Amino acid sequence: MAEEAAVRAQAETVRRLKQDKADPDEIAKEVAKLLEMKAQLGADEGKPKFVLKTPKGTRDFGPKEMAIRERAFKAIISCFKRHGAEVIDTPVFELKETLTGKYGEDSKLIYDLKDQGGELLSLRYDLTVPFARYLAMNKITNIKRYHIAKVYRRDNPAMTRGRYREFYQCDFDIAGQFDPMIPDAECLKIVHEILSDLQLGDFVIKVNDRRILDGMFAVCGVPDSRFRTICSSVDKLDKVPWEEVRSEMVGEKGLSPEAADRIGEYVQLHGGLDLIERLLQDPKLSQNKLAKEGLGDMKLLFEYLTLFGITGKISFDLSLARGLDYYTGVIFEAVLLQQENERVEEPVSVGSVAGGGRYDGLVGMFDPKGRKVPCVGVSIGIERIFSILEQRLEASEEKVRTTETQVLVASAQKKLLEERLKLISELWDAGIKAEMLYKKNPKLLNQLQYCEDTGIPLVAIVGEQELKDGVIKLRIVATREEVNVRRESLVEEIRIRTSQC
Amino acid sequence: MAEEAAVRAQAETVRRLKQDKADPDEIAKEVAKLLEMKAQLGADEGKPKFVLKTPKGTRDFGPKEMAIRERAFKAIISCFKRHGAEVIDTPVFELKETLTGKYGEDSKLIYDLKDQGGELLSLRYDLTVPFARYLAMNKITNIKRYHIAKVYRRDNPAMTRGRYREFYQCDFDIAGQFDPMIPDAECLKIVHEILSDLQLGDFVIKVNDRRILDGMFAVCGVPDSRFRTICSSVDKLDKVPWEEVRSEMVGEKGLSPEAADRIGEYVQLHGGLDLIERLLQDPKLSQNKLAKEGLGDMKLLFEYLTLFGITGKISFDLSLARGLDYYTGVIFEAVLLQQENERVEEPVSVGSVAGGGRYDGLVGMFDPKGRKVPCVGVSIGIERIFSILEQRLEASEEKVRTTETQVLVASAQKKLLEERLKLISELWDAGIKAEMLYKKNPKLLNQLQYCEDTGIPLVAIVGEQELKDGVIKLRIVATREEVNVRRESLVEEIRIRTSQC
């Protein structure tokens, strides 16, 4: 085997270098090469030293997946920009201590980097903590920004449902001290715009407020120390019926049946302004300071949402109880609704695709003096959206183009490589997206087939006679029509025919 | 202190839960919260537990840096797309073994993840190895793709010169078995297009071929085992004069003075087709099979580059000797030249901004049967380009806009928040990029100032009288001109005035 001979030759090289007392760096380099060759040789002998895969819970995006991903990002980014957001980016890892104490029990899902000397680092777990660190570090008290980037969680992956260990988050946040509920309303408007734009089907955005929840628990007689655990029971109401949640509260969590029943009356309520008004008159809730504050703001929010014309898809829902560790005010979550014509045996709600809320305390955790910067934000759950778009595309049999090439530069006869190179160079310099086959003498049929396969709409065919006449034959792939175009008009003609101006 | 009271209350909660023998999960959660509150309290007492910084060698991109970054990416991506490239993405980490044995001595710069159970992982070191892994894993033998993503090296950072531990690479590669030098020529055309488009000043693209280098070393009498080390001396020629390189070869590396002098004659040569022709006639080089092959292909390459009209910036340079562990054929590197009017005491070449070459063996390293997929590619050194663009912008005092907002929705009188919300919602729904201040009754002066500060060109002013008349007052910030526009024509008017159609 030639490889074995090469390894022996390399071993000899190393031996000679050592004998010659050569530069130690040089020897080290050659030894490294030898080891590499040996490892390679092992692989060649059918004992590959490595498995060809991506790490658990991660995936490559091929050209087709990227085309879908870019389509979704485009809709989201253009919405964020429409709302005047700036964009920032932060490193993929943070000092470990930056993430410490921000995620409660979920901290165990954080990826740490190996201690190779120097700082202890962890991969970011979300974009919100890095954002808060960025604000505190730069003493920024006022910004509207978006951030689209990958985050990392050592979670149990469920890839078909869009749950990965490496996944994108698309965050939009408004930081600053403002008049109540105006930025909060804008976040909901943004969710509404994005979900409408992506045409993911019918959806509803559930809204609640942490203060209303806490007030409700108080007036129902839940002890302060049990707010969180009872809240996490409430959080299950989108998956299991009330009776089950109730028995968990009473049985496992030791809540009195009376308190549970009182909660039950509240958390099954959802509605709009009318419900808010009713609760503001509720003899118990209206006596609770927190609840009253939350309800007052909720009313204001609905007034603003009415002006935005989006209350049709908003539901004030007392069972919504997400991520309470974080949030201090309004919380919301958008869920897609099952299409009526889809006969799938699943619950009506097929899952959350966006969520967010107000978190007025997080930035203060990074400030040495605890100075607070009120924030409200939304995070789009883009991986689930990718999954839906991919599945839909699969079903529709629509052919996705993975390039934007406008024209293939081809030739019908042999010996025209130089002419093709000259022409394609002219087209590139004029800003036309052009390709050619990397062959000296490709067959016309193969060139046309390439256009069919990749969706290139036009072929510019170079031929002996046409060159003499100063024209190029332009073929429209879809119709097989062919027209002679004067060379100096070719760029313009391609632009018009691909309507890119 | 209120915080201390809160910590005491939380401690009491934990005590009670334990006493009540509550759900262990619940207790754990409350304990975690208690610890967090204690840590927070420590910070509040002026003993912050953390340093507010990004990890060594990394940085945040604020809105201004992002605006520059997006401008550069746009030029690069549109060039890649113009050449018909698809796009892919791969995970930020790979199995450790995927990277093993690919980078020689540089392996020590790889970031490993901590072993938290499961697979051993490392952060990607470049985009080429993941690309090769992707090709082998998916049995792809033919693709033209680009990939723009961050890579990680535990190198000594030099941030002012654009050297970071986390940095972007912009890679374009052509994989597949094709006729010689056609894809290679396209890679050089791409570098030429991008550097011209970014207007970074004058540049030259040095070209050489690994086979020419090896042939040259052979005919100069360098022993096979010394090719690499002598090559790394040659590589220094862009920084130090020949005399110094020669003395390293002879003194440190034990090369005979005669051999060194023979190399010296070659490596000081650079030129174009004429030089290639001369070397093809060179009595010694023309006898070496490898060199002859390389020179033949180099001639072909220059013929193609002549057709592309870019030989003016290409220099066949026998001293170019980059990354030889990788490359098997053509290699190239683009360097910016010092502007004549810049009186800086630096050498004429201010550094490499792009590089690449042919690597026909890498994919085979991942294939169990060693099947090769020939590849040629280019990597744009975008961080150095960012640095240059940032410095230039700094110098020019040009104001960079960090948003694309077309219009601010404002009011001159109080009590018009609802009208502003209604109008801005109409504008958003029509696709207009619009902002408003999040205040109930902002002063007109503050609203106008906000436009000045952020570069918003138009203000749509809602007023009592205008509402009655069915018009909106549109103010052009630059000229202070104000016109009344009928509400139904406002969207169109804004579009025309910001020429976004």
Side-chain angles (χ1 to χ4, degrees):
Chain A
M1 248 173 98
E3 283 86 353
E4 281 173 44
V7 171
R8 278 196 303 274
Q10 180 66 15
E12 173 60 19
T13 299
V14 169
R15 199 193 57 74
R16 254 190 296 154
L17 286 172
K18 284 180 178 168
Q19 181 186 304
D20 297 359
K21 297 204 196 310
D23 176 16
D25 277 357
E26 190 184 341
I27 296 177
K29 201 184 257 177
E30 298 300 328
V31 167
K33 194 190 158 198
L34 176 61
L35 292 174
E36 191 174 308
M37 289 169 82
K38 279 185 177 168
Q40 184 52 25
L41 187 61
D44 285 346
E45 284 169 343
K47 291 173 283 183
K49 290 261 164 102
F50 45 78
V51 192
L52 265 183
K53 68 184 286 288
T54 61
K56 185 178 177 188
T58 70
R59 59 166 172 174
D60 294 320
F61 281 80
K64 222 176 197 169
E65 291 85 42
M66 285 299 280
I68 295 167
R69 180 170 124 179
E70 296 207 326
R71 207 185 280 182
F73 279 161
K74 204 178 153 192
I76 291 168
I77 292 171
S78 78
C79 176
F80 291 164
K81 286 191 172 172
R82 194 158 58 236
H83 288 260
E86 303 182 282
V87 57
I88 72 161
D89 193 19
T90 63
V92 81
F93 42 61
E94 294 277 344
L95 298 185
K96 188 174 162 56
E97 56 198 3
T98 297
L99 306 191
T100 302
K102 307 297 183 308
Y103 303 105
E105 290 181 348
D106 285 351
S107 298
K108 65 177 185 293
L109 302 181
I110 293 175
Y111 277 98
D112 290 330
L113 270 73
K114 190 166 142 185
D115 182 1
Q116 293 169 293
E119 301 160 334
L120 291 181
L121 306 173
S122 301
L123 297 186
R124 63 183 162 211
Y125 184 81
D126 65 9
L127 302 177
T128 311
V129 167
F131 176 53
R133 192 264 307 145
Y134 171 80
L135 294 185
M137 184 174 138
N138 296 288
K139 299 193 171 45
I140 295 167
T141 55
N142 195 326
I143 191 173
K144 176 164 56 180
R145 79 88 182 82
Y146 71 92
H147 187 186
I148 295 181
K150 289 172 175 175
V151 302
Y152 299 87
R153 299 184 183 179
R154 295 178 56 254
D155 214 337
N156 224 7
M159 323 242 285
T160 48
R161 284 188 293 145
R163 199 161 81 218
Y164 293 89
R165 289 181 157 198
E166 172 185 63
F167 60 98
Y168 269 101
Q169 287 197 334
C170 304
D171 281 22
F172 171 99
D173 294 81
I174 301 172
Q177 187 69 59
F178 302 115
D179 280 329
M181 308 318 279
I182 311 179
D184 312 60
E186 184 166 0
C187 287
L188 291 169
K189 177 82 170 93
I190 282 175
V191 175
H192 191 278
E193 285 179 22
I194 289 174
L195 295 185
S196 306
D197 195 12
L198 288 173
Q199 298 180 298
L200 298 172
D202 203 12
F203 62 88
V204 63
I205 309 175
K206 299 178 188 173
V207 188
N208 201 357
D209 192 299
R210 189 202 160 133
R211 294 165 295 173
I212 299 175
L213 277 168
D214 283 354
M216 175 183 84
F217 291 139
V219 304
C220 290
V222 179
D224 283 16
S225 70
R226 297 300 177 91
F227 277 15
R228 271 150 200 267
T229 183
I230 294 302
C231 196
S232 84
S233 297
V234 168
D235 201 26
K236 295 177 185 161
L237 275 175
D238 59 340
K239 293 183 198 78
V240 298
W242 164 247
E243 277 315 312
E244 227 168 284
V245 170
R246 184 185 181 282
S247 79
E248 179 181 297
M249 286 177 176
V250 177
E252 290 173 40
K253 303 196 170 169
L255 195 68
S256 73
E258 297 73 31
D261 289 336
R262 269 178 241 131
I263 293 174
E265 279 167 39
Y266 285 120
V267 295
Q268 294 183 77
L269 300 175
H270 52 93
L273 258 180
D274 49 331
L275 176 61
I276 301 169
E277 295 287 7
R278 229 172 72 208
L279 292 177
L280 275 169
Q281 307 304 322
D282 183 279
K284 284 174 292 172
L285 270 188
S286 61
Q287 298 310 308
N288 181 283
K289 189 172 163 285
L290 266 183
K292 215 175 143 191
E293 221 177 274
L295 284 166
D297 276 350
M298 189 59 71
K299 187 177 165 191
L300 199 56
L301 179 68
F302 264 78
E303 283 166 14
Y304 296 161
L305 298 179
T306 306
L307 294 167
F308 287 164
I310 60 169
T311 44
K313 299 227 183 279
I314 310 276
S315 169
F316 169 44
D317 188 324
L318 283 159
S319 74
L320 177 71
R322 66 194 305 272
L324 274 181
D325 272 60
Y326 233 40
Y327 295 113
T328 55
V330 161
I331 50 176
F332 52 87
E333 191 166 293
V335 292
L336 297 184
L337 302 176
Q338 198 77 48
Q339 304 300 302
E340 276 171 30
N341 54 355
E342 289 178 41
R343 293 182 48 210
V344 196
E345 293 183 27
E346 271 188 42
V348 174
S349 141
V350 294
S352 156
V353 288
R358 177 163 285 282
Y359 52 101
D360 288 348
L362 190 60
V363 178
M365 287 181 74
F366 286 105
D367 189 282
K369 292 186 182 155
R371 275 169 300 210
K372 288 187 175 177
V373 178
C375 294
V376 62
V378 51
S379 185
I380 308 290
I382 189 73
E383 301 291 340
R384 187 164 285 177
I385 292 174
F386 290 157
S387 294
I388 294 168
L389 294 178
E390 277 172 20
Q391 282 163 22
R392 181 179 306 170
L393 209 70
E394 202 82 21
S396 79
E397 289 174 26
E398 184 203 333
K399 226 175 159 182
V400 199
R401 283 201 67 186
T402 54
T403 69
E404 296 175 10
T405 309
Q406 295 165 284
V407 62
L408 185 82
V409 174
S411 60
Q413 299 115 335
K414 288 193 172 187
K415 302 206 174 163
L416 287 168
L417 172 61
E418 301 205 344
E419 291 298 337
R420 280 191 292 140
L421 288 170
K422 243 163 82 179
L423 179 60
I424 201 168
S425 181
E426 282 172 34
L427 295 177
W428 284 332
D429 292 343
I432 299 291
K433 295 170 189 140
E435 285 185 73
M436 57 178 273
L437 297 198
Y438 300 123
K439 286 195 162 266
K440 272 171 100 163
N441 296 307
K443 291 193 182 116
L444 186 60
L445 202 66
N446 291 346
Q447 297 174 86
L448 297 180
Q449 188 59 46
Y450 184 77
C451 293
E452 296 280 357
D453 293 345
T454 60
I456 299 176
L458 299 173
V459 194
I461 305 173
V462 181
E464 295 287 2
Q465 189 55 47
E466 287 84 357
L467 284 170
K468 277 181 206 142
D469 299 346
V471 297
I472 300 288
K473 189 178 279 172
L474 194 65
R475 181 185 168 109
I476 293 87
V477 176
T479 61
R480 299 180 182 188
E481 179 195 352
E482 292 187 343
V483 285
N484 279 341
V485 180
R486 293 214 58 78
R487 190 163 183 142
E488 57 273 22
S489 316
L490 183 63
V491 166
E492 190 54 28
E493 186 71 25
I494 293 171
R495 280 206 187 121
I496 292 167
R497 291 201 179 254
T498 51
S499 35
Q500 311 233 1
C501 56
Chain B
M1 246 173 97
E3 284 86 353
E4 281 175 45
V7 171
R8 276 198 303 272
Q10 180 66 15
E12 172 59 20
T13 299
V14 169
R15 197 192 59 73
R16 253 190 298 154
L17 284 173
K18 285 180 179 169
Q19 181 186 302
D20 297 357
K21 298 201 195 312
D23 177 16
D25 276 358
E26 190 186 340
I27 296 177
K29 203 183 257 177
E30 298 300 327
V31 168
K33 196 189 155 199
L34 176 62
L35 291 174
E36 191 175 308
M37 289 169 82
K38 279 186 177 168
Q40 182 52 27
L41 188 61
D44 285 346
E45 282 169 345
K47 290 173 282 183
K49 289 262 164 99
F50 45 79
V51 192
L52 266 183
K53 69 184 285 290
T54 62
K56 185 178 177 191
T58 69
R59 60 165 170 173
D60 294 320
F61 281 80
K64 223 177 196 167
E65 291 84 41
M66 286 299 281
I68 295 166
R69 179 170 127 180
E70 296 207 326
R71 208 185 279 183
F73 278 161
K74 204 177 154 193
I76 291 167
I77 292 172
S78 78
C79 176
F80 290 164
K81 286 192 172 173
R82 194 158 58 237
H83 287 260
E86 303 183 282
V87 57
I88 71 161
D89 193 18
T90 63
V92 81
F93 42 60
E94 294 277 345
L95 297 186
K96 187 173 163 56
E97 55 197 5
T98 297
L99 306 190
T100 302
K102 307 297 182 308
Y103 304 104
E105 290 182 348
D106 285 351
S107 298
K108 64 176 185 293
L109 302 181
I110 294 175
Y111 278 98
D112 290 329
L113 270 73
K114 189 164 144 188
D115 182 1
Q116 292 169 293
E119 300 160 335
L120 291 180
L121 306 173
S122 301
L123 298 187
R124 64 184 162 210
Y125 184 82
D126 65 9
L127 302 178
T128 311
V129 167
F131 176 54
R133 192 266 307 147
Y134 171 79
L135 294 185
M137 185 173 136
N138 296 287
K139 299 192 171 46
I140 295 167
T141 55
N142 194 327
I143 191 173
K144 176 163 57 179
R145 80 89 181 82
Y146 71 92
H147 188 186
I148 295 182
K150 289 172 174 175
V151 302
Y152 299 87
R153 298 184 184 178
R154 294 180 54 255
D155 213 338
N156 224 6
M159 323 244 281
T160 48
R161 285 187 292 145
R163 199 162 81 218
Y164 292 89
R165 290 182 156 198
E166 171 184 64
F167 59 98
Y168 269 100
Q169 286 197 333
C170 304
D171 280 22
F172 172 98
D173 294 81
I174 301 172
Q177 187 71 58
F178 301 114
D179 280 328
M181 307 320 278
I182 311 177
D184 313 61
E186 185 167 359
C187 287
L188 291 169
K189 176 81 170 94
I190 282 174
V191 175
H192 191 278
E193 285 179 22
I194 289 173
L195 295 185
S196 306
D197 194 12
L198 288 173
Q199 298 180 298
L200 298 170
D202 204 12
F203 62 89
V204 63
I205 309 175
K206 299 178 188 173
V207 187
N208 201 357
D209 191 298
R210 188 202 159 137
R211 293 163 297 173
I212 299 175
L213 278 167
D214 283 355
M216 176 184 84
F217 291 138
V219 305
C220 290
V222 179
D224 282 17
S225 70
R226 296 301 177 92
F227 278 16
R228 269 148 201 270
T229 184
I230 294 302
C231 198
S232 83
S233 297
V234 168
D235 200 28
K236 295 177 184 160
L237 275 174
D238 59 339
K239 292 182 199 79
V240 298
W242 164 247
E243 278 315 314
E244 226 168 286
V245 170
R246 185 186 179 280
S247 79
E248 178 182 296
M249 286 178 177
V250 177
E252 290 173 41
K253 304 197 171 169
L255 195 67
S256 73
E258 297 74 31
D261 288 337
R262 270 178 241 129
I263 293 173
E265 279 167 39
Y266 286 119
V267 296
Q268 293 183 75
L269 300 174
H270 53 93
L273 256 180
D274 50 330
L275 175 61
I276 301 168
E277 295 286 6
R278 229 172 74 209
L279 292 177
L280 274 168
Q281 306 304 322
D282 183 279
K284 283 175 293 175
L285 268 188
S286 62
Q287 297 309 308
N288 180 284
K289 189 172 163 285
L290 265 183
K292 215 177 141 188
E293 221 178 272
L295 284 166
D297 276 350
M298 190 58 72
K299 189 178 164 190
L300 199 56
L301 179 67
F302 264 77
E303 283 166 14
Y304 296 161
L305 297 179
T306 307
L307 294 167
F308 287 163
I310 61 169
T311 45
K313 301 228 182 277
I314 310 277
S315 169
F316 170 42
D317 188 325
L318 283 158
S319 74
L320 178 70
R322 66 194 306 270
L324 273 182
D325 273 59
Y326 233 40
Y327 294 113
T328 55
V330 160
I331 50 177
F332 52 87
E333 191 167 293
V335 292
L336 298 184
L337 301 176
Q338 199 77 49
Q339 304 300 301
E340 276 171 30
N341 55 353
E342 289 179 40
R343 294 180 47 209
V344 195
E345 294 183 26
E346 272 187 41
V348 174
S349 141
V350 294
S352 156
V353 287
R358 178 163 284 283
Y359 52 101
D360 287 349
L362 189 61
V363 179
M365 287 180 75
F366 286 104
D367 189 283
K369 292 184 182 156
R371 276 169 300 211
K372 288 186 175 176
V373 178
C375 295
V376 63
V378 51
S379 186
I380 308 291
I382 189 73
E383 301 292 339
R384 188 164 283 177
I385 292 175
F386 291 156
S387 295
I388 295 168
L389 294 178
E390 277 172 17
Q391 281 163 25
R392 179 179 307 169
L393 208 70
E394 202 81 22
S396 78
E397 290 173 25
E398 183 203 332
K399 225 174 160 182
V400 199
R401 284 200 67 185
T402 54
T403 69
E404 296 175 10
T405 308
Q406 294 165 286
V407 62
L408 185 82
V409 173
S411 60
Q413 300 115 334
K414 291 193 169 185
K415 302 208 175 163
L416 286 169
L417 172 61
E418 300 206 344
E419 292 297 337
R420 280 191 293 139
L421 287 171
K422 242 162 85 177
L423 180 60
I424 201 168
S425 181
E426 281 172 34
L427 295 177
W428 284 332
D429 292 342
I432 298 292
K433 295 171 189 140
E435 285 185 73
M436 56 178 274
L437 297 198
Y438 301 123
K439 286 194 164 268
K440 272 172 101 163
N441 296 308
K443 291 193 181 118
L444 186 60
L445 203 66
N446 291 346
Q447 297 175 86
L448 297 180
Q449 188 58 46
Y450 184 77
C451 292
E452 297 280 355
D453 293 345
T454 60
I456 300 175
L458 299 174
V459 195
I461 305 173
V462 181
E464 294 287 3
Q465 188 56 48
E466 287 84 358
L467 283 171
K468 276 181 206 140
D469 299 345
V471 298
I472 300 288
K473 189 178 278 172
L474 194 65
R475 180 183 168 109
I476 294 87
V477 176
T479 61
R480 299 181 182 188
E481 180 195 352
E482 292 188 343
V483 285
N484 278 341
V485 179
R486 294 214 56 78
R487 190 162 183 144
E488 58 271 23
S489 317
L490 183 63
V491 166
E492 191 53 27
E493 187 70 25
I494 293 170
R495 281 206 186 117
I496 292 166
R497 292 201 179 254
T498 52
S499 38
Q500 310 234 2
C501 57

